[in-house]
Amino acid sequence: MTGFWDSGDVSAAERRQRRMEEARRRVESGENSPPPPTPAAPAAATRSRTTRAPRAATVDPVSVADAQYAVWRSVQHFCLSDSLPDASGRNLDLLIAWSDTIQPFRLRPRIVARLDSDGAWLPVCYAKDGARDPITQAQAERYRDARVEGAGLSGGAQKPLKETDHPESTVAL
């Protein structure tokens, strides 16, 4: 005997034929068919999604009608209280489109701010690749506070700006 199925008097071809006949019989009798589908469970109340922390509120850049806007080269430029914006104007979309001419293919987005009634600049969005990127209310307040108080944002991780890094004048659009 060389294997489990060896019976000595039956050839391998005959054993294969018997297995095929047994399989055919099971298929025809329904033994090999899958079980019938289980009835659908009654519609139970769906689980509500877990409550996540609410997303940070974003600033609406056009919430004030006829506002004055300005764009800076970066957040670092904006946070320096004595830095001039690169451009200013009343048309937000034109200002954002123009901002790509400051330094094309810039990795850091430029920042756009709106002049409020107190004469302070409030960041309203980023300008990147000619489009608006939203800014959260918390970021806007942090940047405004850094500009007013003169505090650094990243604890000194950024290189200080040189005098030549700032625009000499603001372009009116």
Side-chain angles (χ1 to χ4, degrees):
M1 285 197 175
T2 59
F4 180 77
W5 293 101
D6 288 344
S7 61
D9 60 337
V10 179
S11 71
E14 288 178 41
R15 285 193 305 272
R16 185 173 44 246
Q17 188 68 29
R18 288 181 191 163
R19 284 194 310 266
M20 288 174 58
E21 288 172 6
E22 178 65 16
R24 190 174 298 116
R25 184 193 62 77
R26 286 183 177 174
V27 167
E28 289 170 356
S29 68
E31 289 180 46
N32 278 357
S33 58
T38 57
T46 59
R47 286 188 342 172
S48 63
R49 297 174 76 186
T50 57
T51 307
R52 292 184 181 174
R55 294 181 74 178
T58 58
V59 176
D60 181 13
V62 292
S63 63
V64 177
D66 215 26
Q68 179 73 24
Y69 299 97
V71 64
W72 280 262
R73 295 175 185 198
S74 70
V75 171
Q76 186 179 12
H77 284 85
F78 175 80
C79 289
L80 295 175
S81 58
D82 61 342
S83 97
L84 293 174
D86 284 282
S88 66
R90 296 205 181 276
N91 186 333
L92 179 62
D93 293 323
L94 176 65
L95 192 66
I96 289 172
W98 179 88
S99 72
D100 278 347
T101 64
I102 298 170
Q103 291 172 322
F105 309 111
R106 185 171 176 87
L107 294 177
R108 292 187 292 175
R110 288 156 295 280
I111 190 162
V112 179
R114 178 179 58 228
L115 191 61
D116 67 8
S117 59
D118 298 328
W121 290 105
L122 173 67
V124 292
C125 65
Y126 297 110
K128 186 162 185 180
D129 300 329
R132 290 184 221 166
D133 273 350
I135 188 171
T136 65
Q137 189 68 42
Q139 288 170 316
E141 290 172 7
R142 191 171 143 220
Y143 298 156
R144 183 190 61 216
D145 291 346
R147 182 173 174 84
V148 170
E149 297 169 9
L153 285 177
S154 64
Q158 295 176 334
K159 294 188 318 187
L161 296 172
K162 299 178 285 204
E163 195 62 35
T164 57
D165 291 336
H166 298 281
E168 294 176 13
S169 64
T170 301
V171 176
L173 297 178

